[in-house]
């Protein structure tokens, strides 16, 4: 890029970013003062992000509602939902928007040059010229509205963000995070809930909503980011000519000011709701939270990440272990929360009681004082430093573009300080400084200064209360009824008409020709070839060695796998437990704390898991493999295998004290994940009614597993000997040479060494005779409703079309896009107020429809019944079909990291998927017609005819649907 050509901009800074092989530029737009960052490199996955500082003054969620609303039409793209039109017809690798406590971001990414330009254009128009000033309905649909169908009532609140936040506030873990931040920074924007508190959201007026946009969505308050391989001068010219030059400079007071330190640590107690069947005992959250300066010291920031690892996150970490040993909580964890101006360090005890608060604080201070005075475990610190450095160098963000993740990290500094905007992508020097600081008392001094002698903190206790959710629901109903009763007939009629007007707006199609304004690619822009698979079938002493020849920059990715075909159905939950035990208990050579630190000091980590693969050619067959996964630089692969062998061969599962700690932590985390990802929970459970594979997964990781763990934790003293016996039995049954397989991703230069190491592992496995089980899982349709303390629902309906003799086709991938962004989106999200809606169709026939954070239940099931007629009567012109096809392909052509390339190939191998199948399915997608989509109606009918339903949701809604559910029960019972 020639900076002499940048007449509309001044160059503020120019740096070589050697850590990420890039060139960095910081510019300022001369006319408006807009801040622009460029990161030039050869990454084809280009990223654009425009962000604004959006500090809230209250908890009405105005920043969050605005984030949703600006994407509902703009000056050049006057559709009701151009965001959805983009998703349908773009090759994007990322397309979303995010609200944070002090900023709002609008990032997009694509590998296609024209597509990238289109995305950038639509997003810029959305943020600077949204239709929110023309259509109040946008605010009412996305934020909140009074919903009144008749003058007699009932009157309700509705709105996408309102329902989303009702779901967020249903999770005690999320409530705890919010309340900690709110109480640490009461006089700053962090003292408000930027996402919106459901009880405050209806206080937001349309005018205040518009004023927020007028104030903060201006170039003078913007942070614009471009990353990757593109013509930067062209993009900068477009930015200036089409958008920035149309504004004058504005003095926007959006500065985030620091909270003054407290005179003394605060003590706060709050309540959260639990369902009637949940116990209040051992259900309290205790938290110790300390502000650790500001975010602008990169070394201190990374040091606290390392301290989180060394003190809390690693198994056996001293602070965690001391609290567990004292019985303070069932699960001890912590976090270093950065990405805001004043980061903070938290220690949390979950599954505790209010009367343990003083002891909780006392133990924390005693342990930290001892460490500060006598020195921290240097091995743990070194392991923590290596852990974070390995991940920084690897830069593997799974399916998320690297440039996107860099952008979000960079904003964590750039937003508050413009002198060092690139510090988040210049971390290697920080790691070197920390390695030197290990022996200089640096970490001990941080503990002393910020965690012990610091008055700026709070001890926050979150106490469970039965009936609180029902009480709040009743109070809201009474409040709304009182308001409805206070209105005159004319006012009520006006409210009914306003409800009808919003529904009419939502029902109305787009203006003729409006869709033409959305730029889109052509089918010819899509590559015709499906991706290749990297599978070479080799062997090690008669065991499969599946090799994936991928350039990995010197990192080897190893999966040691063991078939589990021989285990009985009643052993499946113990298999789920085993994956949480191995690597987290003592071995012959190391305590579990030492083991974890040894591994992380020299490798990228070792973990155990269970992978389950369905067969593309069968509705019943599947393969479940117990896996030991690890990654390391090539010179450290020998050490990786040595540690894996130690875990597999010498783990001491007889330590029942440690086993209880693991069981209690598993229960705690499972509670949070089952309700937080209620859509996945409901889909898996409903599928398990007829699918042996799903039934296996549910018993190993779903509701069935949680019920097992819940009982195990409750009756542990009576069950502990049985647990040890079952774990030992399982290990003898599955960790055997005839069950052993390995999958390896790396360059060929490392292959022979890995084969030798794998052969050594195999030779050390158990060969004692064992008895195999021939019993199979029995599937039963139950159609369950699981009650929680939440305020929203996750409604799933599933079935298998192959069992009705129908075949899979690539066109089903298109149908998923059509349903998720057309029929389901319109009926569940736009009209129904649900936050999300999804569908899926697998090669083995298993399929689902599901809603996410949904205020409805019965209505949603009725919407599902309408899918068949919608498909039978599906209409789309050539432009629309092309759009759907492009949107489908975008999900398939996401750039893959080296690890993902190996993983995708391995999955295809075990599922029986070939390159020929992938090509056939891609051809079916690329050549699909309207008739091909209509032909899928019978497939969806077969799925719905199975009548497999599972709902996770509020007590009142689930109980109110007992007439259509076969079983109604509580999700959490103790």
């Amino acid at each position: 890029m020639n900076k002499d050509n940048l007449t509309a901009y001044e160059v503020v800074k120019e740096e070589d970013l050697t850590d990420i092989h890039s060139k960095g530029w910081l510019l300022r737009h001369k006319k408006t003062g807009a801040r622009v960052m460029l990161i030039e490199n050869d990454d084809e996955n280009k990223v654009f992000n425009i962000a604004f500082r959006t500090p809230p003054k209250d908890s009405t969620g105005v920043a969050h509602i605005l984030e949703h609303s600006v994407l509902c039409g703009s000056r050049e793209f006057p559709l009701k939902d151009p965001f959805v039109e983009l998703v349908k017809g773009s090759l994007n690798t990322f397309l979303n928007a995010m609200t944070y406590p002090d900023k709002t971001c609008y990032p997009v990414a694509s590998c296609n040059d024209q597509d990238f330009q289109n995305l950038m254009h639509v997003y810029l128009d959305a943020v600077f010229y949204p239709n929110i000033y023309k259509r109040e309905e946008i605010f009412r649909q996305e934020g909140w509205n009074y919903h009144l169908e008749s003058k007699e009532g009932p009157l309700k609140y509705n709105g996408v963000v309102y329902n989303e936040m009702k779901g967020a506030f249903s999770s005690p873990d999320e409530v705890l995070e919010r309340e900690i931040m709110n109480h640490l920074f009461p006089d700053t924007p962090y003292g408000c809930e930027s996402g919106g508190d459901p009880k405050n959201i209806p206080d937001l007026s349309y005018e205040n909503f518009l004023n927020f946009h007028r104030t903060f969505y201006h170039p003078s308050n913007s942070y614009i980011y471009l990353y990757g391989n593109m013509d930067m001068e062209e993009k900068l010219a477009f930015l200036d000519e089409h958008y920035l030059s149309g504004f004058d400079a504005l003095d926007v007071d959006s500065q985030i000011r620091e909270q003054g330190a407290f005179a003394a640590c605060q003590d706060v107690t709050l309540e959260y709701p639990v369902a009637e069947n949940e116990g209040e005992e051992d259900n309290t959250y205790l938290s110790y939270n300390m502000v650790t300066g500001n975010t602008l010291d990169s070394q201190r920031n990374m040091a606290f990440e390392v301290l989180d690892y060394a003190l809390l996150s690693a198994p056996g970490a001293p602070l965690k272990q001391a609290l567990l040993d004292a019985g303070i909580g069932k699960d001890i964890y912590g976090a270093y929360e950065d990405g805001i101006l004043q980061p903070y360090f938290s220690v949390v005890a979950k599954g505790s009681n209010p009367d343990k608060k003083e002891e909780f604080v006392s133990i924390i201070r005693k342990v930290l004082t001892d460490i500060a005075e006598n020195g921290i475990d240097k091995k743990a610190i070194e392991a923590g430093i290596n852990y974070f450095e390995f991940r920084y160098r690897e830069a593997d963000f799974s399916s998320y573009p690297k440039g996107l993740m860099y952008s979000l990290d960079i904003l964590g500094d750039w937003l508050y300080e413009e002198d060092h905007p690139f510090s988040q992508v210049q971390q290697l020097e920080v790691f070197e400084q920390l390695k030197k600081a290990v022996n200089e008392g640096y970490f001990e001094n941080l503990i002393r200064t910020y965690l012990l002698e610091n008055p700026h903190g709070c001890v926050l206790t979150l106490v469970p209360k039965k009936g609180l959710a029902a009480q709040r629901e009743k109070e809201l109903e009474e409040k709304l009824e009182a308001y409805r009763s206070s209105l005159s007939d004319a006012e009520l009629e006006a409210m009914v008409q306003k409800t009808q007007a919003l529904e009419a707006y939502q029902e109305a199609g787009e203006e003729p020709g409006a869709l033409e304004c959305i730029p889109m690619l052509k089918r010819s822009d899509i590559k015709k070839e499906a991706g290749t698979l990297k599978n070479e079938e080799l062997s090690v002493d008669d065991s499969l060695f599946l090799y994936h020849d991928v350039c990995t920059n010197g990192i080897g990715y190893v999966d040691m796998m063991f078939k589990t075909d021989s285990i009985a159905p009643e052993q499946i939950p113990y298999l789920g437990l085993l994956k949480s035990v191995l690597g987290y208990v003592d071995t012959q050579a190391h305590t579990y704390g030492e083991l974890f630190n040894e591994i992380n000091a020299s490798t990228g980590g070792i973990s155990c898991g269970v992978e389950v693969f369905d067969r593309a050619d069968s509705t019943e067959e599947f393969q479940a493999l117990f896996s030991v996964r690890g990654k390391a630089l090539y010179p450290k692969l020998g050490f990786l295998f040595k540690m894996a062998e130690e875990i597999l061969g010498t783990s001491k599962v007889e330590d029942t004290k440690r086993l209880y700690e693991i069981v209690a932590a598993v229960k705690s985390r499972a509670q949070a994940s089952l309700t937080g990802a209620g859509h996945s929970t409901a889909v898996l459970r409903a599928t398990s009614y007829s699918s042996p594979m799903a039934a296996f997964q549910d018993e190993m990781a779903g509701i069935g597993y949680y019920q097992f763990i819940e009982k195990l934790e409750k009756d542990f003293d009576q069950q502990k000997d049985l647990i040890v016996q079952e774990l030992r039995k399982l290990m003898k049954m599955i960790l055997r040479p005839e069950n052993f397989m390995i999958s390896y991703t790396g360059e060929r230069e490392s292959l022979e060494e890995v084969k030798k190491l794998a052969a050594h592992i195999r030779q050390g496995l158990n060969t004692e005779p064992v008895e195999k089980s021939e019993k199979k899982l029995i599937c039963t349709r139950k159609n369950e409703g699981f009650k929680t303390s939440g305020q929203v629902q996750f409604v799933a309906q599933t079935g298998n079309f192959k069992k009705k003799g129908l075949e899979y086709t690539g066109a089903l991938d298109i149908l998923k896009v059509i349903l998720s962004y057309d029929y389901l989106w319109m009926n569940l999200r736009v009209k129904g107020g649900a936050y999300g809606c999804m569908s899926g169709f697998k090669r083995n026939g298993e399929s689902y429809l599901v809603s996410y954070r949904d205020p409805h239940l019965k209505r949603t099931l009725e919407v599902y019944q309408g899918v068949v007629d919608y498909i039978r009567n599906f209409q789309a012109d050539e432009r629309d079909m092309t759009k759907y096809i492009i949107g489908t392909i975008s999900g398939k052509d996401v750039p893959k990291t080296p690890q993902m390339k190996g993983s995708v190939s391995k999955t295809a191998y075990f599922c029986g998927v070939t390159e020929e199948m992938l090509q056939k399915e891609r051809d079916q997608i690329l050549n699909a017609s309207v008739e091909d989509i209509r032909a899928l109606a019978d497939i969806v009918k077969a799925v719905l005819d199975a009548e497999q339903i599972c709902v996770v949701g509020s007590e009142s809604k689930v109980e109110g649907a007992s007439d259509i559910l076969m079983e109604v029960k509580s999700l959490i019972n103790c």
Side-chain angles (χ1 to χ4, degrees), residues 614-631:
D614 55 357
R615 292 289 307 178
D617 55 0
S618 172
T619 61
E620 303 293 321
E621 291 181 31
F622 67 95
Q623 182 149 44
L625 304 176
F626 185 86
S627 299
V628 182
R629 303 187 198 96
K631 54 188 174 182

Side-chain angles (χ1 to χ4, degrees), residues 314-415:
L319 200 46
K320 172 187 279 192
Q321 200 58 50
L323 291 166
L324 286 172
D325 289 346
I328 298 299
K330 303 289 181 70
D331 189 13
I332 306 296
Y333 59 92
Y336 177 63
E337 298 292 346
D338 58 358
I340 58 175
L341 177 59
Q342 293 173 275
Y344 59 92
F345 189 93
S346 292
V347 183
V348 178
K350 182 178 176 180
S352 188
N353 291 288
D355 60 4
K356 291 186 177 179
K357 180 182 67 176
E358 300 304 326
E359 188 182 3
F360 168 71
V361 174
S362 175
I363 290 172
I364 290 173
R365 296 190 66 81
K366 182 178 182 299
V367 171
L368 292 178
T369 299
D370 180 64
I371 292 171
E373 290 177 356
N374 300 313
I376 198 163
D377 180 350
K378 291 182 172 51
K379 186 72 174 184
I381 290 292
E382 289 164 0
I385 294 171
N386 184 70
Y387 177 88
F388 288 107
E389 183 178 358
F390 190 99
R391 277 150 183 76
Y392 177 72
R393 289 180 181 272
E394 186 183 27
D396 186 342
F397 304 106
S398 188
S399 60
Y400 293 102
K402 273 195 293 192
L404 166 73
M405 303 310 288
Y406 290 151
S407 152
L408 299 177
D409 285 342
I410 283 167
L411 280 169
D413 283 350
W414 191 20
L415 208 70

Side-chain angles (χ1 to χ4, degrees), residues 234-481:
E234 176 190 83
K235 300 302 178 216
L236 290 169
F238 174 79
L239 271 167
D240 172 58
E241 292 164 14
H242 279 76
Y243 291 100
L244 302 183
S245 63
F247 293 83
D248 295 319
L250 187 68
D251 184 14
V252 181
D253 182 12
S254 64
Q255 183 182 352
I256 314 300
R257 293 170 177 81
E258 289 196 17
Q259 172 72 48
F262 299 158
C265 187
Q266 306 291 300
D267 192 336
V268 181
T269 299
L270 301 167
E271 292 177 332
Y272 78 95
V274 290
E276 285 302 320
N277 274 43
E278 290 184 63
E280 292 180 332
E281 187 178 355
D282 296 341
N283 222 351
T284 290
Y285 291 75
L286 303 174
S287 67
Y288 179 93
N289 315 282
M290 289 291 169
V291 177
T292 57
N294 66 40
T295 194
L296 302 177
D297 187 327
S298 294
Q299 180 174 324
R300 184 173 62 211
N301 272 354
M302 185 53 68
F304 269 107
E305 296 277 15
V306 172
L307 279 173
D308 173 33
Y309 170 94
L311 295 174
L312 275 166
S313 296
L319 200 46
K320 172 187 279 192
Q321 200 58 50
L323 291 166
L324 286 172
D325 289 346
I328 298 299
K330 303 289 181 70
D331 189 13
I332 306 296
Y333 59 92
Y336 177 63
E337 298 292 346
D338 58 358
I340 58 175
L341 177 59
Q342 293 173 275
Y344 59 92
F345 189 93
S346 292
V347 183
V348 178
K350 182 178 176 180
S352 188
N353 291 288
D355 60 4
K356 291 186 177 179
K357 180 182 67 176
E358 300 304 326
E359 188 182 3
F360 168 71
V361 174
S362 175
I363 290 172
I364 290 173
R365 296 190 66 81
K366 182 178 182 299
V367 171
L368 292 178
T369 299
D370 180 64
I371 292 171
E373 290 177 356
N374 300 313
I376 198 163
D377 180 350
K378 291 182 172 51
K379 186 72 174 184
I381 290 292
E382 289 164 0
I385 294 171
N386 184 70
Y387 177 88
F388 288 107
E389 183 178 358
F390 190 99
R391 277 150 183 76
Y392 177 72
R393 289 180 181 272
E394 186 183 27
D396 186 342
F397 304 106
S398 188
S399 60
Y400 293 102
K402 273 195 293 192
L404 166 73
M405 303 310 288
Y406 290 151
S407 152
L408 299 177
D409 285 342
I410 283 167
L411 280 169
D413 283 350
W414 191 20
L415 208 70
Y416 319 112
E417 170 58 71
E418 294 176 38
D419 289 346
H420 306 288
F422 302 114
S423 59
Q424 289 294 325
V425 288
Q426 293 176 313
Q427 294 282 301
L428 290 180
E429 178 57 33
V430 170
F431 290 117
E432 293 307 311
Q433 292 167 353
L434 290 178
K435 290 171 189 175
K436 295 175 187 172
V438 174
N439 297 308
E440 297 171 355
Y442 176 73
F443 288 92
E444 292 84 353
N445 189 52
L446 288 181
I447 291 171
R448 192 178 299 110
T449 303
Y450 292 103
L451 303 184
L452 286 169
E453 299 171 358
N454 179 13
H456 194 174
C458 79
V459 176
L460 194 146
T461 305
L462 200 57
V463 181
K465 184 178 179 182
K466 285 185 183 181
L468 186 58
Q471 177 190 325
R472 289 174 176 172
E473 202 172 307
K474 186 178 180 211
E475 288 171 355
L476 178 58
E477 286 176 3
E478 290 174 349
K479 173 187 171 184
L480 286 168
E481 177 54 28

Side-chain angles (χ1 to χ4, degrees), residues 530-534 905 915 918:
T532 57
L533 300 172
K534 298 279 190 177
S905 296
E915 288 185 354
L918 294 175

Side-chain angles (χ1 to χ4, degrees), residues 60-243:
T60 58
V62 58
H64 188 188
I65 295 169
L66 199 54
E67 174 232 303
H68 281 241
S69 299
V70 300
L71 296 173
C72 293
S74 63
R75 180 184 64 179
E76 291 190 44
F77 308 101
L79 286 79
K80 291 195 295 182
D81 211 335
F83 171 78
V84 170
E85 294 304 314
L86 279 176
V87 173
K88 291 177 191 172
S90 159
L91 288 173
N92 73 85
T93 55
F94 187 86
L95 181 70
N96 213 330
M98 295 91 89
T99 304
Y100 292 90
D102 54 15
K103 59 183 172 283
T104 309
C105 305
Y106 296 87
V108 296
S110 180
C111 295
N112 181 285
D113 289 338
Q114 186 57 55
D115 189 45
F116 181 75
Q117 177 63 32
N118 296 344
L119 295 170
M120 186 173 148
H121 189 182
V122 173
Y123 262 43
L124 282 164
D125 209 66
V127 297
F128 289 128
Y129 299 106
N131 276 354
I132 57 174
Y133 295 95
K134 298 178 182 177
R135 304 300 307 239
E136 185 183 352
E137 293 93 338
I138 294 171
F139 165 68
R140 297 177 61 230
Q141 171 181 290
E142 298 298 320
W144 75 276
N145 64 78
Y146 284 118
H147 184 86
L148 186 65
E149 294 181 5
S150 69
K151 291 192 290 184
E152 293 72 31
L155 178 62
K156 297 178 182 177
Y157 289 134
N158 202 6
V160 173
V161 169
Y162 177 75
N163 290 318
E164 177 190 350
M165 297 311 294
K166 279 176 72 177
F169 272 68
S170 297
S171 162
D173 298 81
E174 290 191 46
V175 170
L176 179 69
E177 289 176 26
R178 287 183 168 84
E179 294 292 358
I180 288 170
M181 183 182 289
N182 296 166
H183 283 86
L184 285 174
F185 311 107
D187 306 317
T188 77
Y190 304 134
C192 304
E193 176 45 58
S194 63
D197 185 328
K199 70 176 182 285
N200 300 122
I201 288 173
D203 296 333
L204 179 63
S205 70
Y206 179 50
E207 190 53 40
N208 285 342
F209 163 77
L210 296 179
N211 283 337
F212 197 87
H213 182 270
R214 290 187 188 103
T215 303
F216 296 115
Y217 278 60
H218 189 280
S220 301
N221 188 44
S222 67
Y223 296 77
I224 300 169
Y225 169 94
L226 287 162
Y227 165 97
N229 184 2
M230 70 185 86
D231 186 335
M232 292 291 187
E233 289 182 28
E234 176 190 83
K235 300 302 178 216
L236 290 169
F238 174 79
L239 271 167
D240 172 58
E241 292 164 14
H242 279 76
Y243 291 100

